[in-house]
Amino acid sequence: MISQKLLIVGAGCAGWTAAIYAARAGLNPVMITGMDPGGQLSLTTQVENYPGFPDGILGPELMNRMQEQAEKFGTQVSNEWIRKVDFENNPLSIETNKSIHYADSVIIATGSSTRKLTIPGEDVLWGHGVSACATCDGPLYRDKDVAVIGGGDTAIEEALFLTNFAKKVSVIHRRQEFKASRIMIESALKNSKIEFILDSVAIEFLGDQHVGLSQVVLQNVETGSKNKLDIDGCFIAIGHVPNTKFIVGQISLNRQGYILTNEFQETNIKGVFAAGDVQDNIWQQAVVAAGSGCVAALAAERYLRNF
Ligand code: NDP
């Protein structure tokens, strides 16, 4: 049985940063990328708030650069995804779709995934007009009518991006106030292609897999009245859920399912650290994820020194 010193799980901002630090510290880390390498940044377009890029940088490009940097220092990358873990015994073990890995320490950086509405029509029309990635699917809606659901930065960013293609973008939000930052809302208000439908929730998607999405049924939360909006595409941007299903019962999670960590990115299991959005339900910023990845790698190195 070959046991690695350090396994890093999840190839997003936190994971790659941890890999860069761990590789430079001579820990020969192995990166298990998971199904969606690049994490949330691979689904975004221009990132304007990552320090060091005054003109912005495309999310996928930032991820590629981080990977290149991690590999340059000796990170071994493996495209596998986790099925289950056993953190009760030592070495720690992680079973993937391809093999079982053993390690003295593990950094979990599996991030979070798009939250779904769980309303009728959502699953059947997913990929047939209903989407969570404007970057990926936006160009399909040239001169069409689309909607974005949500009132956070992601929703407004997606709406602004979609105006590059769509004829009209309706932002559907369940209340009057927005979580999104003022600067984003101001840009959206100035954009003549964007209209806001407030105090409203989507309760059903109509259409079929052949013709695609045709309408969304909306309900006003104040009056209860319902109406149908004709749309060709709908982008759901209502936040995220942490990717922690594979460790339920193995590690302490908070009520929303995020991993509990301390200031050293330690979990309740010795030798297991967590970094990035999988343990952050507040900030969810690339630079914060990178910072926590750095801390996790430094703490893992200190742990392994005394192992
Ligand atoms: P947020 O949690 O900030 O916003 C989610 C939005 O979806 C809220 O407006 C919420 O409504 C709404 N919502 C949640 N559940 C439902 C539901 N079931 N039905 C209808 N609406 C729902 O998530 P984001 O993904 O927007 O942002 C996450 C983090 O990433 C934030 O910290 C954000 O600042 C950051 N971010 C930063 C960007 C940038 O700086 N360029 C770009 C994108 C994201 P309500 O307000 O009523 O709770």
Side-chain angles (χ1 to χ4, degrees):
M1 174 175 68
I2 301 169
S3 184
Q4 307 290 341
K5 279 191 200 149
L6 174 64
L7 278 181
I8 299 169
V9 186
C13 222
W16 287 127
T17 306
I20 291 164
Y21 273 78
R24 291 192 75 245
L27 298 179
N28 304 315
V30 174
M31 160 67 81
I32 310 278
T33 60
M35 273 191 203
D36 303 308
Q40 293 296 317
L41 278 188
S42 65
L43 304 178
T44 190
T45 47
Q46 199 72 356
V47 179
E48 292 184 338
N49 52 11
Y50 199 87
F53 298 96
D55 299 323
I57 180 167
L58 292 172
E61 191 191 340
L62 182 58
M63 287 298 88
N64 288 341
R65 288 195 191 196
M66 285 192 189
Q67 173 165 0
E68 200 182 312
Q69 199 172 350
E71 288 188 296
K72 175 179 143 187
F73 292 113
T75 302
Q76 192 189 315
V77 180
S78 189
N79 294 311
E80 300 171 55
W81 51 91
I82 300 190
R83 289 218 171 111
K84 60 179 184 183
V85 302
D86 177 2
F87 290 161
E88 276 167 16
N89 298 298
N90 223 302
L92 307 158
S93 81
I94 288 186
E95 186 182 322
T96 70
N97 59 318
K98 289 188 185 160
S99 57
I100 299 180
H101 296 265
Y102 297 95
D104 299 332
S105 65
V106 172
I107 295 175
I108 301 172
T110 44
S112 58
S113 297
T114 311
R115 184 190 301 283
K116 287 189 169 183
L117 286 165
T118 62
I119 59 172
E122 185 179 36
D123 280 341
V124 72
L125 291 168
W126 198 267
H128 299 273
V130 180
S131 166
C133 180
T135 318
C136 323
D137 299 335
L140 303 173
Y141 297 97
R142 201 168 285 281
D143 298 323
K144 304 232 162 135
D145 292 336
V146 298
V148 176
I149 298 177
D153 281 324
T154 305
I156 305 304
E157 192 175 74
E158 301 238 308
L160 287 165
F161 177 72
L162 286 163
T163 60
N164 292 320
F165 314 99
K167 189 163 73 194
K168 191 174 85 181
V169 181
S170 304
V171 175
I172 299 160
H173 180 38
R174 63 186 178 184
R175 56 193 181 109
Q176 294 276 334
E177 296 75 32
F178 289 87
K179 268 191 181 170
S181 47
R182 222 176 61 198
I183 189 168
M184 300 278 269
I185 294 293
E186 279 167 5
S187 306
L189 286 169
K190 277 190 219 141
N191 194 311
S192 60
K193 282 190 177 180
I194 296 181
E195 70 159 18
F196 287 96
I197 301 175
L198 302 179
D199 289 332
S200 297
V201 289
I203 55 170
E204 186 173 1
F205 289 118
L206 302 175
D208 63 53
Q209 293 194 346
H210 295 295
V211 292
L213 174 68
S214 55
Q215 289 179 314
V216 57
V217 183
L218 299 176
Q219 181 161 38
N220 185 295
V221 293
E222 294 297 322
T223 63
S225 66
K226 294 179 190 169
N227 72 296
K228 290 177 183 168
L229 179 70
D230 292 339
I231 44 168
D232 303 291
C234 186
F235 294 83
I236 295 166
I238 59 165
H240 299 89
V241 282
N243 294 322
T244 48
K245 264 195 192 139
F246 67 98
I247 40 169
V248 170
Q250 291 274 330
I251 215 164
S252 292
L253 307 175
N254 73 8
R255 273 179 38 214
Q256 292 102 26
Y258 288 81
I259 299 176
L260 288 168
T261 52
N262 64 13
E263 70 268 40
F264 300 107
Q265 302 307 135
E266 290 167 327
T267 68
N268 64 315
I269 309 286
K270 266 195 179 325
V272 180
F273 305 81
D277 287 3
V278 75
Q279 51 83 64
D280 173 13
N281 56 338
I282 301 173
W283 305 113
Q284 298 176 319
Q285 300 296 303
V287 67
V288 177
S292 66
C294 161
V295 173
L298 294 174
E301 198 236 334
R302 193 174 65 173
Y303 169 80
L304 290 166
R305 221 184 300 141
N306 304 316
F307 188 68

Coordinates of all heavy atoms in Angstrom, one line a residue, residues 2-34:
I2 N 0.7 2.1 -1.0 CA 1.5 3.3 -1.1 C 0.7 4.5 -0.4 O -0.4 4.7 -0.8 CB 1.9 3.7 -2.5 CG1 2.7 2.6 -3.2 CG2 2.7 5.0 -2.6 CD1 2.8 2.7 -4.7
S3 N 1.3 5.1 0.5 CA 0.6 6.2 1.2 C 1.3 7.5 0.8 O 2.6 7.7 1.0 CB 0.7 6.0 2.7 OG 0.0 7.0 3.4
Q4 N 0.5 8.4 0.3 CA 1.1 9.8 0.0 C 1.2 10.6 1.2 O 0.5 10.3 2.2 CB 0.1 10.5 -1.0 CG -0.3 9.7 -2.2 CD 0.9 9.6 -3.2 OE1 1.9 10.3 -3.1 NE2 0.8 8.6 -4.1
K5 N 2.1 11.6 1.2 CA 2.1 12.5 2.3 C 0.8 13.4 2.3 O 0.2 13.6 3.4 CB 3.3 13.5 2.2 CG 4.6 12.8 2.6 CD 5.7 13.9 2.7 CE 7.0 13.3 2.7 NZ 8.0 14.1 2.1
L6 N 0.5 13.9 1.2 CA -0.7 14.8 1.1 C -1.5 14.6 -0.1 O -0.9 14.7 -1.3 CB -0.1 16.3 1.1 CG -1.2 17.4 1.0 CD1 -2.2 17.4 2.1 CD2 -0.5 18.7 0.9
L7 N -2.8 14.4 0.1 CA -3.7 14.4 -1.1 C -4.5 15.7 -1.0 O -4.9 16.1 0.1 CB -4.7 13.3 -0.9 CG -4.4 11.9 -1.3 CD1 -5.6 11.0 -1.0 CD2 -4.0 11.8 -2.8
I8 N -4.7 16.3 -2.2 CA -5.6 17.5 -2.2 C -6.7 17.1 -3.1 O -6.6 16.6 -4.2 CB -4.8 18.7 -2.8 CG1 -3.6 19.1 -1.9 CG2 -5.7 19.9 -3.0 CD1 -2.6 20.1 -2.5
V9 N -7.9 17.4 -2.6 CA -9.1 17.0 -3.3 C -9.9 18.2 -3.8 O -10.3 19.0 -3.0 CB -10.0 16.2 -2.4 CG1 -11.2 15.6 -3.2 CG2 -9.3 15.1 -1.8
G10 N -10.0 18.4 -5.1 CA -10.7 19.6 -5.6 C -9.8 20.6 -6.3 O -8.9 21.2 -5.6
A11 N -10.0 20.8 -7.6 CA -9.1 21.6 -8.4 C -9.6 23.0 -8.7 O -9.7 23.4 -9.8 CB -8.7 20.9 -9.7
G12 N -10.0 23.7 -7.6 CA -10.4 25.1 -7.8 C -9.3 26.0 -7.2 O -8.2 25.6 -7.1
C13 N -9.7 27.2 -7.0 CA -8.8 28.2 -6.5 C -8.0 27.8 -5.2 O -6.8 27.9 -5.1 CB -9.6 29.5 -6.2 SG -8.8 30.9 -6.7
A14 N -8.8 27.2 -4.2 CA -8.3 26.8 -3.0 C -7.3 25.6 -3.2 O -6.2 25.6 -2.6 CB -9.4 26.4 -2.0
G15 N -7.8 24.6 -3.9 CA -7.0 23.4 -4.2 C -5.7 23.7 -4.9 O -4.6 23.2 -4.4
W16 N -5.7 24.5 -5.9 CA -4.5 24.8 -6.7 C -3.5 25.6 -5.8 O -2.3 25.4 -5.9 CB -4.8 25.5 -8.0 CG -5.4 24.7 -9.0 CD1 -6.5 24.9 -9.7 CD2 -4.9 23.4 -9.5 NE1 -6.8 23.9 -10.6 CE2 -5.8 23.0 -10.5 CE3 -3.8 22.6 -9.2 CZ2 -5.6 21.8 -11.2 CZ3 -3.6 21.4 -9.9 CH2 -4.5 21.0 -10.9
T17 N -4.0 26.6 -5.0 CA -3.1 27.3 -4.2 C -2.5 26.4 -3.1 O -1.3 26.5 -2.9 CB -3.9 28.5 -3.5 OG1 -4.6 29.2 -4.5 CG2 -3.0 29.4 -2.7
A18 N -3.3 25.5 -2.5 CA -2.7 24.6 -1.6 C -1.6 23.7 -2.3 O -0.6 23.5 -1.7 CB -3.8 23.7 -1.0
A19 N -1.9 23.3 -3.5 CA -0.9 22.5 -4.3 C 0.4 23.2 -4.5 O 1.5 22.7 -4.4 CB -1.6 22.0 -5.6
I20 N 0.3 24.5 -4.9 CA 1.5 25.3 -5.1 C 2.3 25.4 -3.9 O 3.5 25.1 -3.9 CB 1.1 26.7 -5.6 CG1 0.4 26.7 -7.0 CG2 2.3 27.7 -5.6 CD1 -0.3 28.0 -7.4
Y21 N 1.7 25.7 -2.7 CA 2.4 25.8 -1.5 C 3.0 24.4 -1.1 O 4.2 24.3 -0.6 CB 1.6 26.4 -0.4 CG 1.6 27.9 -0.4 CD1 0.9 28.6 -1.3 CD2 2.4 28.6 0.5 CE1 0.9 30.0 -1.3 CE2 2.4 30.0 0.5 CZ 1.7 30.7 -0.4 OH 1.8 32.1 -0.4
A22 N 2.2 23.4 -1.2 CA 2.6 22.1 -0.7 C 3.7 21.5 -1.6 O 4.7 20.9 -1.1 CB 1.4 21.1 -0.7
A23 N 3.6 21.8 -2.9 CA 4.7 21.3 -3.8 C 6.0 22.0 -3.6 O 7.0 21.4 -3.5 CB 4.2 21.5 -5.3
R24 N 5.9 23.3 -3.3 CA 7.1 24.1 -3.1 C 7.7 23.7 -1.7 O 9.0 23.8 -1.5 CB 6.8 25.6 -3.1 CG 6.5 26.1 -4.5 CD 6.5 27.6 -4.6 NE 7.8 28.1 -4.6 CZ 8.4 28.9 -3.7 NH1 7.6 29.2 -2.6 NH2 9.6 29.4 -3.7
A25 N 6.9 23.1 -0.8 CA 7.4 22.7 0.5 C 8.0 21.2 0.4 O 8.4 20.7 1.4 CB 6.3 22.8 1.5
G26 N 7.9 20.7 -0.8 CA 8.5 19.3 -1.0 C 7.6 18.2 -0.6 O 8.1 17.1 -0.3
L27 N 6.3 18.5 -0.5 CA 5.4 17.4 0.0 C 4.9 16.5 -1.1 O 4.1 15.6 -0.8 CB 4.2 18.0 0.7 CG 4.5 18.9 2.0 CD1 3.2 19.5 2.6 CD2 5.2 18.0 3.0
N28 N 5.3 16.7 -2.3 CA 4.9 15.9 -3.5 C 3.3 15.7 -3.5 O 2.9 14.5 -3.5 CB 5.6 14.6 -3.5 CG 7.1 14.8 -3.5 OD1 7.6 15.6 -4.3 ND2 7.8 14.0 -2.7
P29 N 2.6 16.7 -3.4 CA 1.1 16.5 -3.3 C 0.5 15.9 -4.6 O 1.0 16.0 -5.7 CB 0.6 17.9 -3.2 CG 1.6 18.8 -3.8 CD 2.9 18.2 -3.6
V30 N -0.5 15.1 -4.3 CA -1.3 14.5 -5.4 C -2.7 15.2 -5.4 O -3.3 15.3 -4.4 CB -1.6 13.0 -5.2 CG1 -2.5 12.4 -6.3 CG2 -0.2 12.3 -5.2
M31 N -3.0 15.8 -6.6 CA -4.3 16.5 -6.7 C -5.3 15.6 -7.4 O -5.1 15.1 -8.5 CB -4.0 17.8 -7.6 CG -5.3 18.3 -8.2 SD -6.4 19.0 -7.1 CE -5.7 20.6 -6.7
I32 N -6.4 15.3 -6.7 CA -7.5 14.6 -7.3 C -8.5 15.7 -7.7 O -9.1 16.4 -6.9 CB -8.2 13.7 -6.2 CG1 -7.3 12.9 -5.4 CG2 -9.4 12.9 -6.8 CD1 -6.8 11.6 -6.1
T33 N -8.7 15.8 -9.0 CA -9.3 17.0 -9.6 C -10.8 17.1 -9.3 O -11.4 18.1 -9.2 CB -9.1 17.2 -11.1 OG1 -9.7 16.0 -11.7 CG2 -7.7 17.3 -11.5
G34 N -11.5 15.9 -9.3 CA -13.0 15.9 -9.2 C -13.5 16.0 -10.6 O -12.8 16.1 -11.6

